[in-house]
Amino acid sequence: MRSVLPKLRRLVRQAFRAVKYLCYRLFLLLPIDPYLAVYTAYWGRGYRCNPAAIYEKARDVAPRVRGVWVVTKEAAATMPPDVSYVVEETLQYFWIMARGAFFIGNVNFADYVVKRRGSVHVQTHHGTPLKLMGVDSFVHAGRKGEGGDELLRRVSRWDFSIAANRHSTEAWSTAYPGTFESLEVGYPRNDILVNAAPEHGERVRAALGVAPGQRVLLYTPTHRGSTANRFAGHLDVAALAEALGPETTILLRTHYFYEPAAQRSGTGSAQVVDVTAYPVVEDLYLAADVLITDYSSTMFDYAILDRPIVVFASDWEQYRTKRGVYFDVFDQSPGVVVTTQAELVERFLAGTVDDEAARRARTSFRNRFCALEDGRASERVVRRVLLGERTAPAAQPVPAAVAPLAARR
């Protein structure tokens, strides 16, 4: 009997799933709801990133359009109380997926989702690319390109692809070849970095338990594609905190693909705060005086603030060979590039993470990658996509950057 019950449960689940998929096909026979927008981020992980910024702006600029989020069962508990959502694979989910007019996500919707005539799909992406993406990555270093056909079928559903800058437009055109329109308008999620109140970062620091007067470093190592799915960063954050002294606090934010905090090094130090689970990375940018990263797209977003950025490129040759990159981070640095922890410490102690050479490099980097980030990217997307306006508000020169918190003391 014990061996039969699991099989019976599996058969029941499969039957229910088949019924729901059948309902989806039937729902597709109903008219599209022209005022229904469906949002998702990071495979249903919650209310985040570019889709969240677009959703919030749509409430003001296109209030007739009703937004509903698709989330996992686990993420449902994290949703804001005033945001409508459905849990994926439920009957309610299939109803909105069949009748939605707008589909806005920073990843692809499920492969079985049918793009109906008259519906509009928006791929917001979730970072300016340094490493090769999509088809570009499939054929890098002699790879055979498996998976390309499936990817192109997903891309064929896109009507719009959001680009934060000209570099992204060019990268997406080869990584995701398709007939979509590129919306080169800046990143909606970065609007807050321009529009935030001066005290925003201080409030975040207080919420994280950071004592007043601390110099805060945000460390954001990227995912390296390890099958072990564990954080194996090349920077010893506990040793760095000790070397820089008690007035320094390090916020450690690993990639969401990694396992829980117990797998991460350095979190035993009182000066290291694990903020991987903190839901809004833009808050952490505003709270930090300096960003330390390796090859993460966080460098492109943080550069908007015009605060010091250090790239810890200890395995650059291996990374560029294995993953492939669109440009050399040594040639187009966002500030300072180091290859050893000793050099990193020396740079901080000598104050050269923000010397004249670093500022020149950062200015050039901002001019190339942040020129559209004027705080109105969300509005441009909403007006073009949800309201169908052919002429969205033009991007304005990037405002003067907010000074680092430490510099304001």
Side-chain angles (χ1 to χ4, degrees):
M1 185 64 178
R2 290 181 179 177
S3 63
V4 172
L5 285 176
K7 295 179 181 178
L8 182 59
R9 293 192 190 100
R10 186 166 58 253
L11 288 172
V12 170
R13 286 196 298 269
Q14 291 173 348
F16 273 118
R17 187 175 297 115
V19 169
K20 287 185 290 188
Y21 288 161
L22 175 59
C23 288
Y24 175 56
R25 305 302 299 192
L26 293 174
F27 296 157
L28 289 170
L29 301 175
L30 299 172
I32 286 178
D33 182 342
Y35 300 109
L36 174 59
V38 183
Y39 295 83
T40 195
Y42 300 116
W43 301 277
R45 294 181 66 247
Y47 185 77
R48 304 183 182 188
C49 195
N50 291 313
I54 295 168
Y55 173 89
E56 290 176 8
K57 182 56 65 174
R59 284 176 148 181
D60 296 330
V61 178
R64 293 185 66 186
V65 179
R66 178 172 62 96
V68 178
W69 280 74
V70 171
V71 298
T72 64
K73 184 177 180 180
E74 294 74 20
T78 70
M79 292 298 288
D82 60 340
V83 174
S84 298
Y85 67 88
V86 294
V87 174
E88 60 185 17
E89 300 290 311
T90 60
L91 197 60
Q92 294 90 342
Y93 158 83
F94 285 112
W95 173 265
I96 70 151
M97 296 304 290
R99 303 204 61 214
F102 305 98
F103 292 82
I104 301 169
N106 69 358
V107 293
N108 284 299
F109 286 89
D111 286 349
Y112 57 74
V113 171
V114 175
K115 176 173 169 49
R116 300 184 62 178
R117 179 176 295 181
S119 66
V120 175
H121 286 238
V122 182
Q123 173 57 254
T124 75
H125 305 279
H126 51 273
T128 292
L130 170 59
K131 67 175 179 288
L132 298 184
M133 303 293 290
V135 173
D136 293 339
S137 69
F138 290 167
V139 298
H140 172 67
R143 295 173 190 153
K144 296 181 180 179
E146 287 91 347
D149 291 342
E150 291 86 347
L151 176 62
L152 293 179
R153 280 195 291 272
R154 298 176 194 129
V155 173
S156 69
R157 297 186 303 204
W158 301 0
D159 295 286
F160 297 99
S161 169
I162 294 179
N165 41 58
R166 172 56 53 175
H167 162 76
S168 294
T169 296
E170 294 170 352
W172 301 151
S173 69
T174 57
Y176 308 112
T179 59
F180 54 80
E181 176 183 335
S182 179
L183 292 183
E184 192 176 307
V185 295
Y187 254 3
R189 71 182 184 190
N190 289 335
D191 288 349
I192 183 65
L193 301 182
V194 177
N195 299 327
E199 66 275 9
H200 190 121
E202 295 285 8
R203 290 200 304 268
V204 176
R205 287 174 174 233
L208 295 173
V210 177
Q214 288 287 98
R215 175 176 59 176
V216 175
L217 315 182
L218 174 61
Y219 177 43
T220 59
T222 193
H223 180 59
R224 282 171 167 73
S226 170
T227 56
N229 203 34
R230 295 186 178 185
F231 172 54
H234 297 273
L235 177 61
D236 185 335
V237 289
L240 177 62
E242 182 177 0
L244 297 184
E247 293 185 351
T248 295
T249 295
I250 299 177
L251 306 180
L252 170 61
R253 187 177 181 84
T254 66
H255 197 280
Y256 55 84
F257 282 166
Y258 291 118
E259 292 179 355
Q263 300 290 347
R264 305 183 193 118
S265 62
T267 54
S269 169
Q271 292 173 246
V272 178
V273 182
D274 191 325
V275 293
T276 301
Y278 192 92
V280 184
V281 69
E282 291 77 25
D283 280 353
L284 304 178
Y285 296 153
L286 290 163
D289 296 305
V290 182
L291 175 73
I292 304 174
T293 187
D294 40 28
Y295 321 120
S296 168
S297 65
T298 55
M299 70 176 78
F300 302 96
D301 302 327
Y302 191 81
I304 296 168
L305 297 174
D306 199 15
R307 300 177 187 177
I309 300 173
V310 182
V311 175
F312 185 65
S314 61
D315 62 339
W316 172 246
E317 290 305 322
Q318 299 96 310
Y319 185 84
R320 72 185 300 182
T321 299
K322 179 181 178 182
R323 299 301 299 268
V325 295
Y326 287 109
F327 65 89
D328 191 321
V329 76
F330 282 82
D331 294 337
Q332 299 180 55
S333 163
V336 171
V337 183
V338 299
T339 58
T340 68
Q341 182 138 344
E343 184 183 3
L344 177 66
V345 172
E346 181 182 349
R347 286 279 197 162
F348 272 103
L349 295 180
T352 57
V353 296
D354 196 28
D355 62 7
E356 184 178 350
R359 289 193 291 272
R360 283 199 305 269
R362 192 166 70 239
T363 296
S364 178
F365 191 86
R366 293 180 76 238
N367 289 341
R368 180 179 181 191
F369 296 107
C370 305
L372 298 175
E373 305 287 10
D374 62 353
R376 299 187 67 189
S378 299
E379 181 180 354
R380 288 191 281 273
V381 173
V382 170
R383 291 191 178 281
R384 177 68 186 92
V385 175
L386 300 185
L387 297 181
E389 297 179 5
R390 299 300 302 181
T391 304
Q396 301 300 313
V398 179
V402 179
L405 298 180
R408 301 207 299 267
R409 297 189 182 94

